[in-house]
Amino acid sequence: MTLVILGTVAAGLYLIKRLDQAIKLSRRHMLVIVLAGFTGNGILCWRLGPQGSLSRLLLSVILGCLLLACITDLAIYQVHNFVWWFSGIAAGLLLFVEIRRDIGIAGSVLSELLAFCIIQIVLFGQLYGRADCYAFCVCAGAEVGLGMGIVGFLEHMILAFLLLTVVQAFRKNISRKGNLKKPVPFLPYITTAFYLLLFCESCQLFCK
């Protein structure tokens, strides 16, 4: 599924080139993207095993869209809407697949997902970018498909903010009031936190 992740990124960059302006990537950036693709595939294979081929495919599309969002956020400080259309559809299909497999996933967990998405868009949309809200919502949908609930959503948010704080503190980009001196893209931290959450959750399952 590494090819699916990287193919999603490549297709998105091609579409952006056709619709807007080409985004140039350095060799270092391309190497990071390739490594992220292999890492994501490894985590998904570990988490889902050979039985979750369709779920792994949908999650690969989501990871590819998140990587694409990181690229555009870092390069042009915006994310094209089609990234969230495709990742949202993939997350919705993943939910459908997992609900059919385990009907118990419905009900309270889906209510938690809906409430989380509403809070993200209505409340947190005022604190950071709308694209960041969409990223958290897409990731939450994927997390539900992987058996997580509101605790997983909150762990993802806390981890993303923790990574942002640590990195920006190291770069001396945090003022005495606790604000960023210079705004930075948040999506790379959201995506990295999502990777770490999947990895940690896979480790917990492996240890059981």
Side-chain angles (χ1 to χ4, degrees):
M1 294 297 176
T2 302
L3 291 179
V4 175
I5 298 174
L6 299 179
T8 300
V9 174
L13 291 174
Y14 176 77
L15 188 57
I16 291 172
K17 179 180 178 181
R18 298 285 296 181
L19 297 176
D20 195 354
Q21 186 176 0
I23 296 176
K24 296 181 180 180
L25 299 175
S26 65
R27 290 183 179 179
R28 181 171 63 88
H29 292 150
M30 293 177 66
L31 177 60
V32 171
I33 294 168
V34 171
L35 289 176
F38 276 101
T39 302
N41 178 59
I43 294 173
L44 294 181
C45 288
W46 188 17
R47 171 60 180 78
L48 298 173
Q51 303 301 321
S53 57
L54 180 55
S55 296
R56 193 160 71 247
L57 172 63
L58 294 171
L59 281 163
S60 296
V61 172
I62 293 172
L63 288 180
C65 288
L66 288 173
L67 290 176
L68 176 62
C70 291
I71 293 169
T72 60
D73 198 18
L74 288 167
I76 58 178
Y77 303 103
Q78 69 178 35
V79 181
H80 295 75
N81 286 332
F82 73 82
V83 175
W84 307 123
W85 297 341
F86 287 117
S87 59
I89 290 172
L93 289 174
L94 177 64
L95 281 173
F96 178 75
V97 169
E98 295 303 324
I99 287 174
R100 289 194 62 185
R101 184 176 301 167
D102 180 9
I103 196 66
I105 199 176
S108 61
V109 178
L110 293 181
S111 298
E112 292 174 355
L113 174 62
L114 178 61
F116 178 80
C117 292
I118 292 174
I119 292 173
Q120 276 293 327
I121 295 173
V122 174
L123 178 60
F124 288 99
Q126 309 300 320
L127 301 178
Y128 42 71
R130 187 56 62 93
D132 301 325
C133 295
Y134 294 154
F136 275 122
C137 291
V138 168
C139 290
E143 288 155 10
V144 170
L146 289 170
M148 291 181 253
I150 188 66
V151 174
F153 310 160
L154 296 178
E155 286 177 344
H156 183 200
M157 284 190 66
I158 292 171
L159 186 55
F161 279 107
L162 182 62
L163 288 173
L164 175 68
T165 301
V166 171
V167 173
Q168 295 308 311
F170 179 77
R171 294 181 175 179
K172 299 180 179 180
N173 190 35
I174 298 180
S175 67
R176 292 182 178 179
K177 294 182 178 180
N179 300 320
L180 292 176
K181 297 178 182 178
K182 180 181 178 182
V184 296
F186 191 25
L187 272 168
Y189 298 96
I190 297 174
T191 302
T192 302
F194 185 60
Y195 267 74
L196 290 174
L197 183 65
L198 292 184
F199 176 75
C200 292
E201 201 256 349
S202 299
C203 289
Q204 290 177 357
L205 291 177
F206 179 77
C207 293
K208 289 182 179 181

